């Protein structure tokens, strides 16, 4: 029997951090907001407190090049993960390839008929990218319970 609880997906950027979270059975990921790097840890804490359901893990987008090597953003994400682990030491952190998640998020918005003006709101793309990388993690990690 599956344990109830959510995963939180995180798309780390220099100016904004997109968040997404799963349903309790971890079958789908949904955008949960975009926040500044300074406020994102408090927001995650509020999600956990207000939701009243456990967060089983964090899934952070890992920036790698098409060749699979680290990128200039890798150090920023490493620093973010260290802060996340310090703030929430009992919750495991998983990394998942974030390759093209923002580009794919825009493509999906276009396909779904999201008006151009709304697609230009960068925060929408960040949280959609977080949902995409979290959904990818769900689909490729079937043994996660």
């Amino acid at each position: 029997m599956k344990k109830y609880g959510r995963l939180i997906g995180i798309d780390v950027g220099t100016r904004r951090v997109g968040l997404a979270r799963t349903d309790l059975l971890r079958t789908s990921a949904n955008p949960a907001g975009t926040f500044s790097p300074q406020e994102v840890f408090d927001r995650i804490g509020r999600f956990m407190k207000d939701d009243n359901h456990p967060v089983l893990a964090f899934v952070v987008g890992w920036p790698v090049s098409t060749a699979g090597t680290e990128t200039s953003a890798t150090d920023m994400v490493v620093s973010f993960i260290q802060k996340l682990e310090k703030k929430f030491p009992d919750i495991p952190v998983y990394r998942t390839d974030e390759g093209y998640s923002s580009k794919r998020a825009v493509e999906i918005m276009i396909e779904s008929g999201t008006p151009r003006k709304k697609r230009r709101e960068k925060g929408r793309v960040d949280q959609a990218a977080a949902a995409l990388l979290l959904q990818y993690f769900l689909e490729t990690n079937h043994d996660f319970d």
Side-chain angles (χ1 to χ4, degrees):
M1 184 166 158
K2 271 191 171 182
K3 182 179 177 183
Y4 284 99
R6 297 185 193 278
L7 303 182
I8 294 181
I10 305 172
D11 181 43
V12 180
T14 55
R15 289 182 281 178
R16 289 174 299 275
V17 179
L19 296 180
R21 55 188 170 173
T22 65
D23 61 302
L24 291 175
L25 292 176
R26 296 174 308 285
T27 58
S28 65
N30 298 296
T34 304
F35 307 94
S36 73
Q38 296 77 28
E39 68 179 333
V40 72
F41 296 103
D42 288 338
R43 178 54 71 169
I44 291 170
R46 262 190 261 146
F47 281 165
M48 294 167 68
K49 182 181 174 193
D50 296 345
D51 191 25
N52 225 9
H53 293 95
V55 170
L56 302 177
F58 296 113
V59 178
V60 179
W62 188 247
V64 292
S65 70
T66 53
T69 59
E70 295 181 349
T71 69
S72 59
T74 303
D75 288 340
M76 173 186 63
V77 175
V78 166
S79 175
F80 183 90
I81 289 172
Q82 290 170 343
K83 290 176 190 172
L84 190 64
E85 290 172 332
K86 185 175 181 182
K87 181 99 173 154
F88 306 102
D90 297 330
I91 301 174
V93 177
Y94 296 92
R95 299 180 299 189
T96 191
D97 183 2
E98 72 168 14
Y100 303 107
S101 60
S102 294
K103 182 179 177 183
R104 183 69 187 126
V106 171
E107 290 171 356
I108 290 172
M109 292 172 132
I110 291 169
E111 291 168 9
S112 67
T114 303
R116 182 179 300 203
K117 185 176 180 180
K118 288 191 177 192
R119 290 193 315 261
R120 287 187 179 161
E121 294 173 16
K122 189 63 174 128
R124 285 185 184 269
V125 173
D126 295 328
Q127 61 184 306
L132 282 173
L133 66 89
L134 184 53
Q135 189 67 42
Y136 173 77
F137 180 84
L138 289 173
E139 292 169 3
T140 57
N141 291 276
H142 301 287
D143 59 339
F144 186 85
D145 276 333

